[in-house]
Amino acid sequence: MSEPGLTVPELRVLVAVEEEGGFTAAAARLGLTQSAVSHAVRSGERKLGAVLFDRGRHGARPTPAGTRAAGHARRVLRLLETMAAEVRGAGRTAETVDGPVRIAAFRSAAAHLLPAVLARLTARHPGIAPEVRIVRELGRGTAGEVADGRADLGIATLGGTDPLPRGLLSATVVTEPYFLVHPVGHPAPRTLPLIDWMENCGSYTRAWWAGQDWIPPVTVDAEDDSVVLSMVAQGMGMAIMPALALMSAPRSVTITDLGEGRPTRGVGYVTTPEMVRVGAVRELIRELRGVELGEVPVGV
């Protein structure tokens, strides 16, 4: 006879140990004894047939299996939360949707794409409570936050060669072109030093970038796109930036079209098959599908 699945208390223990980094801290967070936490973890490992944590003086570090299991556990627990809200609202009209919706977004999308979307969403459904967290679009990025159960929906860059985590649903809502940005009035902007940031090294620009012999090595590597734009505005160099990052460009920079063949990247949403059925997420996706990219002030 096969082992039964993990119980809800075991799922909560698994998540707490992974997030707190130890059995003692997890026990304090959950109001349990350390032995109860240890028992729950051992039970989970037996049922799943894998070691979930490396124990030692450092505490409890998740193994790759433990990291994956904790992500699934968070998703199951979140689905149970949303199930309760959906059931309580079953007798109300179809237009009534409420509850929190957790969104992970990279900085420029959070600043220039999400505000109008969330304004429309909460105007139609005042009971929806968006929770937005900024996540750097590096490594697993916003899609990883969704796969790991830390977000219900991610605003992600799509269309590159780097695959999304398995099992996610995604759709592009806007395609943003890249532009050359440089200080106003410079006679030869393509000769300036290059300012860049780590998130800009996406697979959607790699082939185009490699074919441009005028682009020098990076001189300044900044923390994010807002810092890059500030440095360009101060005359420190040029940058190659996507449209969303340029929506609030200062008057001290000029934005130049890169011409035919310029790189573009898709921006869209990522969610899970189970969360796409939840009312608040479904309504958020409806608003995202109506997004239009604002006009970038080229030549300004």
Side-chain angles (χ1 to χ4, degrees), residues 147-230:
D148 294 342
R150 294 186 176 90
D152 303 328
L153 180 143
I155 304 299
T157 54
L158 304 172
T161 57
D162 297 333
L164 293 173
R166 291 176 59 185
L168 298 185
L169 304 176
S170 66
T172 298
V173 296
V174 295
T175 299
E176 55 173 345
Y178 276 73
F179 297 89
L180 175 65
V181 192
H182 55 89
V184 167
H186 196 282
R190 293 193 178 203
T191 65
L192 288 167
L194 179 65
I195 305 172
D196 205 12
W197 74 106
M198 285 296 294
E199 286 174 281
N200 205 27
C201 300
S203 57
Y204 28 77
T205 64
R206 205 168 287 144
W208 177 86
W209 203 285
Q212 309 302 308
D213 57 10
W214 59 273
I215 302 178
V218 175
T219 301
V220 178
D221 202 348
E223 178 68 18
D224 64 34
D225 53 358
S226 63
V227 177
V228 171
L229 197 54
S230 295

Side-chain angles (χ1 to χ4, degrees), residues 6 40-53 55:
L6 271 66
V41 170
R42 287 195 302 272
S43 175
E45 290 178 326
R46 185 181 68 252
K47 291 175 180 179
L48 294 174
V51 175
L52 303 179
F53 297 96
R55 287 83 154 169

Side-chain angles (χ1 to χ4, degrees), residues 94-152:
E95 289 75 23
T96 303
V97 178
D98 57 18
V101 57
R102 305 172 305 161
I103 305 164
F106 60 95
R107 192 209 67 83
S108 59
H112 303 298
L113 185 150
L114 268 182
V117 168
L118 296 182
R120 292 195 302 270
L121 177 69
T122 54
R124 289 178 55 230
H125 302 286
I128 291 181
E131 301 170 3
V132 180
R133 190 159 50 87
I134 307 300
V135 174
R136 296 191 74 188
E137 194 68 332
L138 291 171
R140 287 163 58 80
T142 58
E145 295 296 294
V146 174
D148 294 342
R150 294 186 176 90
D152 303 328

Side-chain angles (χ1 to χ4, degrees), residues 42-102:
R42 287 195 302 272
S43 175
E45 290 178 326
R46 185 181 68 252
K47 291 175 180 179
L48 294 174
V51 175
L52 303 179
F53 297 96
D54 290 326
R55 287 83 154 169
R57 290 189 303 172
H58 55 262
R61 293 178 179 170
T63 63
T67 298
R68 180 169 294 185
H72 282 292
R74 269 188 292 268
R75 286 166 62 173
V76 171
L77 292 171
R78 175 60 176 153
L79 192 59
L80 290 173
E81 292 174 8
T82 59
M83 180 182 72
E86 298 265 308
V87 168
R88 286 194 299 269
R92 291 175 288 182
T93 64
E95 289 75 23
T96 303
V97 178
D98 57 18
V101 57
R102 305 172 305 161

